[in-house]
Amino acid sequence: SPASKRSLSTDADGIDKVAVIGAGQMGIGISYVAAKQITKGLQFVDTLLGKEVKKGKMNNEEANRVRSRIKAASENGLQDGEFAEVDLVVEAVSENLAVKQTIFSQLATHLPPHAILASNTSSISLSTLAASAIDQKTGQSRARQVVGFHFFNPVPVMKLVELIPALQTDRSVLETARGFAERMGKTVTQSADTPGFISNRLLMPFINEAIIALETGVATKEDIDTTLKLGMNHPMGPLTLADFIGLDTCLSIMEVLMRETGDSKYRPSVLLGRMVSAGYLGKKSGQGFYTYT
Ligand code: CAA
């Protein structure tokens, strides 16, 4: 198919320089995988590269080449012209609508005219983000160039990218983004711009139900996780997975599902809300359903 041909050639999709906004676990993972695939080309990256060299999957020379393709931009990178040659940008900051809207308006103002503006959002509406992609100098909308590009943690391991067109997205932008995701070695699924897309519409109510099972005394956290792990062959039980994703992220996705559908089946568990209020955010904070050292 034309899509698989494109994934075999190095840069037939025309994406040569990629920018990633956000240096959390998703942003760094995306930078790392993009740098490994892209034809021209931090501490976490060094750790990932070190592991690959140790396992014999990469030699030192290749690791140095990948490392040299990732450059940290300054705080004012957009205004200072550091993004002047970027073909595609992936925004991967925290799930906060106002912050993302500000970033999309800045991207629309400063990126070169052909650049694709992708968001790694896991639940925020792409059509809403696209509407904020307005060039502040000309007043022109760049909504047609906005697309959802949803990765999964850990990005180097998980084989999926969920592609989400906004109502405004150009077909050619969608196809270029699909080709680039395939070149990154990912399988692509496409979802309409609806709350939670495919992945979180199914995953988050499952995790939330596991938390409700815990708070209503159905079983211990260990027995809930072991049941799903060994009974259904899930790589992690739902409470371990919630800690891994981040309890704040789980809560914010449930709140989006609940608010945007108005359906009470998406009501976030009270315990989930309390844990986030207490600062127990899961693995990243050292404490969630389990303790991490
Ligand atoms: N970065 C890079 N590589 C990593 C990694 C990381 N953070 N964590 C693990 N790996 C690699 C390891 O190096 C190892 O590689 P090799 O096979 O080459 O040796 C491989 O992954 C397996 O790791 P481990 O043997 O240490 O551990 P495991 O077999 O238990 O796998 C796991 C770990 C891949 C995380 C697995 O438990 C798993 O798949 N869990 C479910 C993850 C999941 O569901 N993620 C999606 C969350 S939802 C989301 O991200 C989106 C959202 O919108 C909320």
Coordinates of all heavy atoms in Angstrom, one line a residue, residues 25-26 29 32 44 48 51-52 55 57 95 120-123 150-158 162 196-197 199-200 203-204 207 229 234-237 240-241 244-246 249-250 253 283, ligand 1:
Q25 N 7.9 12.3 30.9 CA 8.2 11.0 30.4 C 7.7 10.8 29.0 O 8.3 10.1 28.2 CB 7.7 9.9 31.3 CG 6.2 10.0 31.6 CD 5.8 9.0 32.7 OE1 6.7 8.3 33.3 NE2 4.5 8.9 33.0
M26 N 6.5 11.4 28.6 CA 6.0 11.3 27.2 C 6.9 12.0 26.2 O 7.3 11.5 25.2 CB 4.6 11.7 27.1 CG 3.6 10.9 28.0 SD 3.7 9.1 27.6 CE 2.9 9.0 26.0
G29 N 10.3 10.4 25.7 CA 10.1 9.2 25.0 C 9.9 9.4 23.5 O 10.4 8.8 22.6
Y32 N 13.0 10.6 21.8 CA 14.0 9.5 21.6 C 13.6 8.6 20.4 O 14.5 8.3 19.5 CB 14.0 8.7 22.9 CG 14.8 7.4 22.8 CD1 16.2 7.6 22.8 CD2 14.3 6.2 22.8 CE1 17.0 6.4 22.8 CE2 15.1 5.0 22.7 CZ 16.5 5.2 22.7 OH 17.3 4.1 22.7
F44 N 17.9 11.2 30.5 CA 17.0 10.0 30.3 C 17.4 9.4 29.0 O 17.4 8.1 28.9 CB 15.6 10.5 30.4 CG 14.6 9.3 30.4 CD1 14.8 8.2 31.1 CD2 13.4 9.4 29.6 CE1 13.9 7.1 31.1 CE2 12.5 8.4 29.6 CZ 12.7 7.2 30.3
L48 N 18.5 5.5 28.3 CA 17.9 4.6 27.3 C 18.9 4.1 26.3 O 19.0 2.9 26.0 CB 16.8 5.3 26.6 CG 15.5 5.7 27.4 CD1 14.6 6.6 26.5 CD2 14.8 4.5 27.9
K51 N 21.3 1.5 27.8 CA 20.7 0.2 27.9 C 20.8 -0.5 26.6 O 21.1 -1.7 26.6 CB 19.2 0.3 28.3 CG 19.0 0.5 29.8 CD 17.5 0.2 30.1 CE 17.1 0.7 31.5 NZ 15.7 0.9 31.6
E52 N 20.5 0.2 25.5 CA 20.5 -0.5 24.2 C 21.9 -0.9 23.8 O 22.1 -2.0 23.2 CB 19.9 0.5 23.1 CG 18.5 0.9 23.4 CD 17.6 0.8 22.3 OE1 17.6 -0.2 21.6 OE2 16.8 1.8 22.0
K55 N 22.7 -4.0 25.8 CA 22.1 -5.2 25.3 C 22.6 -5.7 24.0 O 22.1 -6.6 23.4 CB 20.6 -5.0 25.2 CG 19.8 -4.9 26.5 CD 18.3 -4.7 26.3 CE 17.6 -4.2 27.5 NZ 16.4 -3.5 27.1
K57 N 22.0 -4.0 21.2 CA 21.1 -3.6 20.1 C 21.6 -2.5 19.3 O 21.0 -2.1 18.3 CB 19.7 -3.2 20.8 CG 19.0 -4.4 21.3 CD 17.6 -3.9 21.8 CE 16.8 -5.1 22.4 NZ 15.6 -4.6 23.0
E95 N -1.8 17.7 30.8 CA -3.2 17.8 30.3 C -4.0 19.0 30.8 O -4.9 18.8 31.6 CB -4.0 16.5 30.6 CG -3.5 15.3 29.8 CD -3.8 15.4 28.3 OE1 -4.9 15.1 27.9 OE2 -2.9 15.9 27.6
N120 N 0.0 15.4 21.7 CA 0.0 14.1 22.3 C -1.1 14.0 23.4 O -1.1 13.1 24.3 CB 1.3 13.8 23.0 CG 1.4 12.4 23.7 OD1 1.0 11.4 23.1 ND2 1.8 12.4 24.9
T121 N -2.1 14.9 23.3 CA -3.2 14.9 24.3 C -3.8 13.5 24.4 O -4.0 12.8 23.4 CB -4.2 15.9 24.1 OG1 -5.2 15.9 25.1 CG2 -5.0 15.8 22.7
S122 N -4.2 13.1 25.6 CA -4.9 11.8 25.8 C -6.4 12.0 25.9 O -7.1 11.0 26.0 CB -4.3 11.1 27.0 OG -4.3 11.9 28.1
S123 N -6.9 13.2 26.0 CA -8.3 13.3 26.2 C -8.9 14.7 25.8 O -10.1 14.9 25.7 CB -8.7 13.1 27.6 OG -8.1 14.0 28.5
H150 N -1.4 10.5 19.5 CA -1.4 10.0 20.9 C -0.5 8.8 21.1 O -0.8 7.7 20.6 CB -2.8 9.8 21.3 CG -3.0 9.4 22.7 ND1 -3.9 8.5 23.2 CD2 -2.2 9.7 23.8 CE1 -3.8 8.3 24.5 NE2 -2.8 9.0 24.9
F151 N 0.6 9.0 21.9 CA 1.6 7.9 22.1 C 1.2 7.3 23.5 O 0.5 7.8 24.3 CB 3.0 8.5 22.2 CG 3.6 8.9 20.9 CD1 3.3 10.2 20.4 CD2 4.4 8.1 20.2 CE1 3.8 10.6 19.2 CE2 4.9 8.5 19.0 CZ 4.7 9.7 18.5
F152 N 1.9 6.1 23.8 CA 1.6 5.4 25.0 C 2.9 5.1 25.7 O 4.0 5.0 25.1 CB 0.9 4.0 24.6 CG -0.4 4.3 24.1 CD1 -0.6 4.7 22.7 CD2 -1.6 4.4 24.9 CE1 -1.8 5.1 22.2 CE2 -2.8 4.8 24.3 CZ -2.9 5.1 23.0
N153 N 2.9 5.1 27.0 CA 4.0 5.0 27.9 C 4.4 3.6 28.3 O 3.4 2.9 28.7 CB 3.7 5.9 29.2 CG 4.9 6.0 30.0 OD1 6.0 6.0 29.6 ND2 4.6 6.3 31.3
P154 N 5.6 3.1 28.2 CA 6.8 3.8 27.7 C 6.8 3.9 26.1 O 6.7 2.8 25.5 CB 7.9 2.9 28.2 CG 7.3 1.6 28.6 CD 5.9 1.8 28.7
V155 N 7.1 5.1 25.6 CA 7.0 5.3 24.2 C 7.9 4.4 23.4 O 7.5 3.9 22.3 CB 7.2 6.8 23.9 CG1 7.2 7.1 22.4 CG2 6.3 7.7 24.6
P156 N 9.1 4.1 23.8 CA 10.0 3.3 23.0 C 9.5 1.8 22.9 O 9.8 1.1 21.9 CB 11.4 3.3 23.7 CG 11.3 4.5 24.6 CD 9.9 4.7 25.0
V157 N 8.7 1.4 23.8 CA 8.2 0.0 23.9 C 6.8 -0.2 23.3 O 6.6 -1.1 22.5 CB 8.1 -0.5 25.4 CG1 7.6 -2.0 25.4 CG2 9.5 -0.4 26.0
M158 N 5.9 0.7 23.5 CA 4.5 0.6 23.1 C 4.4 0.9 21.6 O 4.9 1.9 21.1 CB 3.6 1.5 23.9 CG 3.7 1.4 25.4 SD 3.5 -0.3 26.0 CE 1.7 -0.4 26.0
E162 N -2.2 6.6 18.3 CA -3.6 6.8 18.0 C -3.7 8.2 17.3 O -3.2 9.2 17.8 CB -4.4 6.9 19.3 CG -5.8 6.4 19.3 CD -6.4 6.5 20.7 OE1 -5.9 7.1 21.7 OE2 -7.5 5.9 20.9
G196 N -11.8 10.9 25.2 CA -11.0 9.7 25.5 C -10.5 9.0 24.3 O -9.8 8.0 24.4
F197 N -11.0 9.4 23.1 CA -10.7 8.6 21.9 C -11.0 7.2 22.1 O -12.0 6.9 22.8 CB -9.2 8.9 21.4 CG -8.8 10.3 21.6 CD1 -7.6 10.7 22.2 CD2 -9.6 11.4 21.1 CE1 -7.2 12.0 22.4 CE2 -9.3 12.7 21.3 CZ -8.1 13.0 21.9
S199 N -8.7 4.7 23.1 CA -7.9 4.1 24.2 C -8.5 4.4 25.6 O -8.8 3.5 26.4 CB -6.5 4.5 24.0 OG -6.4 5.9 24.0
N200 N -8.6 5.7 25.8 CA -9.0 6.1 27.2 C -10.5 5.9 27.5 O -10.9 5.8 28.6 CB -8.4 7.4 27.5 CG -6.9 7.4 27.8 OD1 -6.5 6.4 28.5 ND2 -6.2 8.3 27.3
L203 N -10.0 2.3 28.5 CA -9.1 2.0 29.6 C -9.5 2.7 30.9 O -9.4 2.0 32.0 CB -7.7 2.4 29.2 CG -6.6 2.3 30.3 CD1 -6.4 0.8 30.6 CD2 -5.3 2.9 29.9
M204 N -9.9 3.9 30.9 CA -10.1 4.7 32.1 C -11.2 4.2 33.0 O -11.1 4.1 34.2 CB -10.1 6.2 31.9 CG -8.8 6.8 31.7 SD -7.6 6.4 33.0 CE -6.1 6.6 32.1
I207 N -9.9 1.1 34.8 CA -9.1 1.5 35.9 C -9.9 2.1 37.0 O -9.8 1.7 38.2 CB -8.0 2.5 35.5 CG1 -6.9 1.8 34.7 CG2 -7.3 3.2 36.7 CD1 -5.8 2.7 34.1
K229 N -3.9 -9.6 36.1 CA -2.6 -10.0 35.5 C -2.6 -11.5 35.1 O -2.2 -11.8 34.0 CB -1.5 -9.7 36.6 CG -0.3 -9.1 36.0 CD 0.8 -8.9 37.1 CE 2.1 -9.2 36.5 NZ 3.2 -8.9 37.3
H234 N -2.9 -9.5 31.5 CA -2.5 -8.1 31.4 C -1.1 -8.0 31.9 O -0.8 -8.6 32.9 CB -3.5 -7.2 32.2 CG -4.9 -7.1 31.6 ND1 -5.7 -6.1 32.0 CD2 -5.5 -7.8 30.6 CE1 -6.9 -6.3 31.3 NE2 -6.7 -7.3 30.5
P235 N -0.3 -7.2 31.2 CA 1.1 -7.0 31.7 C 1.2 -6.4 33.1 O 2.1 -6.7 33.8 CB 1.8 -6.1 30.7 CG 0.7 -5.5 29.9 CD -0.5 -6.4 30.0
M236 N 0.2 -5.6 33.5 CA 0.2 -5.0 34.8 C -1.3 -5.0 35.3 O -2.2 -4.8 34.4 CB 0.5 -3.5 34.7 CG 2.0 -3.1 34.4 SD 2.1 -1.4 34.2 CE 3.8 -1.1 34.5
G237 N -1.5 -5.1 36.6 CA -2.8 -5.0 37.1 C -3.3 -3.6 37.0 O -2.4 -2.7 36.8
T240 N -1.7 -1.0 39.5 CA -0.3 -0.7 39.2 C -0.2 0.1 37.9 O 0.6 1.1 37.8 CB 0.5 -2.1 38.9 OG1 0.2 -3.0 40.0 CG2 1.9 -1.9 38.6
L241 N -1.1 -0.1 37.0 CA -1.1 0.7 35.7 C -1.5 2.1 36.0 O -0.9 3.0 35.5 CB -2.0 0.0 34.7 CG -2.1 0.7 33.3 CD1 -0.8 0.8 32.7 CD2 -3.1 -0.1 32.4
F244 N 1.4 3.9 37.3 CA 2.4 4.0 36.2 C 2.0 5.2 35.3 O 2.8 6.0 35.0 CB 2.4 2.7 35.4 CG 3.4 2.7 34.3 CD1 4.7 2.7 34.5 CD2 2.9 2.6 33.0 CE1 5.6 2.6 33.5 CE2 3.8 2.5 31.9 CZ 5.2 2.5 32.2
I245 N 0.7 5.3 35.0 CA 0.2 6.4 34.2 C 0.3 7.8 34.9 O 0.6 8.8 34.4 CB -1.2 6.2 33.7 CG1 -1.3 5.0 32.7 CG2 -1.9 7.4 33.1 CD1 -2.7 4.5 32.5
G246 N -0.1 7.7 36.2 CA -0.2 8.9 37.1 C -1.6 9.1 37.5 O -2.5 9.2 36.6
T249 N -3.4 12.2 36.0 CA -3.8 12.0 34.6 C -5.0 11.2 34.5 O -6.0 11.5 33.8 CB -2.6 11.3 33.8 OG1 -1.4 12.1 33.9 CG2 -3.0 11.1 32.4
C250 N -5.1 10.1 35.3 CA -6.3 9.2 35.3 C -7.5 10.0 35.7 O -8.6 10.0 35.1 CB -6.1 8.0 36.3 SG -4.9 6.9 35.8
I253 N -8.6 12.6 33.0 CA -9.3 11.9 31.9 C -10.7 11.5 32.3 O -11.7 11.7 31.5 CB -8.5 10.7 31.4 CG1 -7.1 11.2 30.8 CG2 -9.3 10.0 30.3 CD1 -6.2 10.1 30.5
K283 N 3.7 6.4 40.6 CA 5.1 6.2 40.5 C 5.9 7.5 40.6 O 6.9 7.6 41.2 CB 5.4 5.4 39.3 CG 6.6 4.6 39.3 CD 6.8 3.7 38.1 CE 8.2 3.2 38.1 NZ 8.6 2.6 36.8
Ligands
CAA1 N1 11.6 3.3 28.5 C1 12.2 2.5 27.6 N2 12.2 1.2 27.6 C2 11.5 0.6 28.7 C3 10.9 1.4 29.7 C4 11.0 2.8 29.6 N3 10.4 3.6 30.5 N4 10.4 0.5 30.6 C5 10.6 -0.8 30.2 N5 11.3 -0.7 29.0 C6 11.8 -1.8 28.2 C7 12.8 -2.6 28.9 O1 14.1 -2.1 28.7 C8 12.7 -4.0 28.3 O2 13.3 -4.1 27.0 P1 14.0 -5.4 26.4 O3 12.8 -6.4 26.2 O4 14.6 -4.9 25.1 O5 14.9 -5.9 27.4 C9 11.2 -4.1 28.0 O6 10.7 -2.7 28.0 C10 10.4 -4.9 29.1 O7 10.7 -4.3 30.3 P2 10.9 -5.2 31.7 O8 11.4 -6.5 31.4 O9 11.7 -4.3 32.6 O10 9.5 -5.2 32.3 P3 8.1 -5.8 31.8 O11 8.3 -6.9 30.9 O12 7.3 -5.9 33.0 O13 7.6 -4.6 30.9 C11 6.2 -2.7 30.5 C12 7.4 -3.3 31.3 C13 6.6 -2.6 29.1 C14 6.0 -1.3 31.1 C15 4.9 -3.6 30.7 O14 4.7 -3.8 32.1 C16 3.7 -3.1 30.1 O15 3.5 -3.2 28.9 N6 2.8 -2.4 30.9 C17 1.6 -1.8 30.4 C18 1.9 -0.4 29.9 C19 0.8 0.3 29.4 O16 -0.4 -0.2 29.4 N7 1.0 1.5 28.9 C20 0.0 2.4 28.4 C21 -0.5 3.3 29.5 S1 -1.8 4.3 28.9 C22 -0.9 5.6 28.2 O17 0.3 5.8 28.2 C23 -1.7 6.6 27.5 C24 -2.7 7.4 28.2 O18 -3.3 8.3 27.6 C25 -3.0 7.3 29.7

